Amino acid sequence: MYIAQAYNILHDWWRYIVGVIIAVTGVFIFSLPHFVAIGIETVKGNIDQSKMNDASYIMGLFEPNLNLVFVLLPFTGGLLLLLLAVKFLHKQAIKHLTTTRDKIDWKRFWFIFLVWGTVSSSFVLVHYYINPEDFQLNFNLVPFLILCVIAIILVPLQTSFEEYLFRGYLMQGIGIVAKNKWVPLIITSLVFGLLHIANPEVDKLGSVIMIYYIGTGLFLGILTLMDEGMELALGFHAANNLFTALLVTADWTAFQTHSILKDMSDPEKMGVMEIFVPVFVVFPILLFILSKKYNWKNWKDKLFGEVIKPQKEDYRTLEEIGSK
């Protein structure tokens, strides 16, 4: 039903290509302040041109709070223009891009947000307790409070852009073209993961980290298809990035912030368990818990079944719902 809702809008395949181009244009426009700032620093001679291919160097060019704004602004632009494309190019209500329910279920969002925020923070704190030498206390009240304001406003916009683009827009668009559910699930997960290849973490940890990125995309896609809506994926992703930005940073991560802790460990010595355990242990456990809480059934059809165009009677009903 979630993918089939796209039959109720203007869903020509070319519209999705145009929509993606519009979203990417938003990303580019809102990247201009960062480009201008880099240009100014280059003119001043404050930038080492030999390091411009080093992603972690670029991520640390400016004061951390200012740098975080530069990093997150493009996602805000992408989200804004994507939602405009959804509304005017496809004539689709944001609610129907988000969920099959009568209204967006914010209880779902906040449940997984709090659960994953607690679990992910616990992992960091346990690591800190076991290996305190791997961390440095990084807390500074005023910069941290400024970080909180920036992160609470912009991080959810960043994660929402990625979710609405991959688990929403492309999941529905590819689904009605492929007429099944597994093709959009696989494609969106792969593309989501591969787009993280420019992150500085990949330089330090190697290509094995792509298993985590692609696995996370697959997990979020399964959440969306099984739950017939994006609320859980939106909440999980927001919690994952927000708690990380506030709790721990490192010189080799995409988010270099005024967080409470700074990871000083050697990333090249990070064990594969820290990459594999979330994907192959923690995520399946979460899926099991959520399946019990929300009574998910018929996994095979929801993940691998056909996308069936609604009958004329159902189509009218969907139109009536969409007009409300």
Side-chain angles (χ1 to χ4, degrees):
M1 184 64 180
Y2 175 70
I3 293 178
Q5 285 191 136
Y7 279 114
N8 190 46
I9 62 171
L10 300 176
H11 57 270
D12 312 85
W13 62 268
W14 60 266
R15 293 180 188 272
Y16 287 93
I17 295 177
V18 173
V20 170
I21 293 173
I22 290 173
V24 172
T25 300
V27 172
F28 175 76
I29 292 173
F30 279 64
S31 297
L32 291 178
H34 196 187
F35 295 152
V36 171
I38 291 175
I40 292 173
E41 292 301 309
T42 300
V43 171
K44 290 180 178 180
N46 296 331
I47 291 181
D48 185 346
Q49 294 296 324
S50 66
K51 295 182 179 179
M52 287 302 289
N53 291 327
D54 185 343
S56 58
Y57 175 74
I58 296 174
M59 292 296 181
L61 280 175
F62 302 97
E63 190 276 332
N65 281 330
L66 176 60
N67 194 70
L68 185 63
V69 172
F70 284 147
V71 169
L72 295 177
L73 266 182
F75 298 96
T76 303
L79 178 63
L80 175 62
L81 266 70
L82 175 64
L83 295 183
L84 288 175
V86 167
K87 181 175 179 62
F88 295 105
L89 182 63
H90 296 274
K91 307 297 183 183
Q92 183 179 28
I94 303 303
K95 184 189 76 173
H96 289 106
L97 180 63
T98 307
T99 187
T100 57
R101 286 168 272 277
D102 291 336
K103 59 182 180 180
I104 297 174
D105 189 348
W106 291 106
K107 289 183 179 180
R108 276 172 155 82
F109 174 94
W110 287 114
F111 173 77
I112 193 65
F113 180 90
L114 293 174
V115 167
W116 186 243
T118 301
V119 171
S120 60
S121 298
S122 297
F123 286 154
V124 174
L125 295 176
V126 168
H127 186 184
Y128 176 71
Y129 178 78
I130 296 175
N131 299 298
E133 68 278 3
D134 286 348
F135 296 90
Q136 173 182 304
L137 186 62
N138 193 54
F139 182 74
N140 192 331
L141 181 59
V142 174
F144 179 76
L145 291 177
I146 297 172
L147 165 65
C148 288
V149 174
I150 295 170
I152 290 172
I153 294 173
L154 293 182
V155 168
L157 295 177
Q158 176 244 326
T159 57
S160 294
F161 170 61
E162 294 184 3
E163 289 311 304
Y164 273 111
L165 178 62
F166 290 102
R167 259 61 66 177
Y169 192 70
L170 292 177
M171 184 77 79
Q172 289 186 344
I174 297 172
I176 60 174
V177 171
K179 293 182 171 55
N180 61 50
K181 300 168 186 175
W182 67 268
V183 168
L185 175 61
I186 297 300
I187 290 178
T188 56
S189 301
L190 286 173
V191 176
F192 172 79
L194 292 173
L195 283 180
H196 288 78
I197 201 166
N199 282 18
E201 292 93 332
V202 178
D203 289 338
K204 300 298 181 181
L205 302 177
S207 58
V208 67
I209 190 64
M210 299 307 299
I211 294 174
Y212 174 78
Y213 291 132
I214 295 172
T216 300
L218 185 63
F219 168 71
L220 294 169
I222 292 172
L223 285 184
T224 300
L225 292 179
M226 290 305 304
D227 201 48
E228 298 285 4
M230 290 174 51
E231 293 97 332
L232 292 175
L234 286 166
F236 177 94
H237 203 162
N240 187 74
N241 288 25
L242 180 59
F243 281 85
T244 297
L246 297 178
L247 189 57
V248 64
T249 188
D251 291 334
W252 45 269
T253 60
F255 284 177
Q256 297 181 26
T257 67
H258 288 292
S259 58
I260 296 173
L261 298 172
K262 186 172 184 178
D263 188 345
M264 305 300 293
S265 61
D266 184 354
E268 295 181 359
K269 294 182 180 179
M270 180 178 288
V272 293
M273 292 297 291
E274 296 176 83
I275 296 172
F276 282 78
V277 167
V279 174
F280 296 106
V281 178
V282 179
F283 291 170
I285 292 174
L286 275 176
L287 286 173
F288 175 78
I289 293 172
L290 293 170
S291 71
K292 296 301 180 183
K293 179 175 176 60
Y294 297 114
N295 195 31
W296 294 345
K297 304 292 183 183
N298 200 10
W299 288 66
K300 181 178 180 180
D301 179 65
K302 285 193 173 184
L303 298 181
F304 302 100
E306 296 181 359
V307 175
I308 301 173
K309 185 175 182 178
Q311 297 297 319
K312 189 173 183 180
E313 293 80 6
D314 296 327
Y315 189 74
R316 287 200 189 103
T317 300
L318 285 172
E319 285 180 334
E320 291 170 0
I321 293 173
S323 66
K324 292 182 179 179

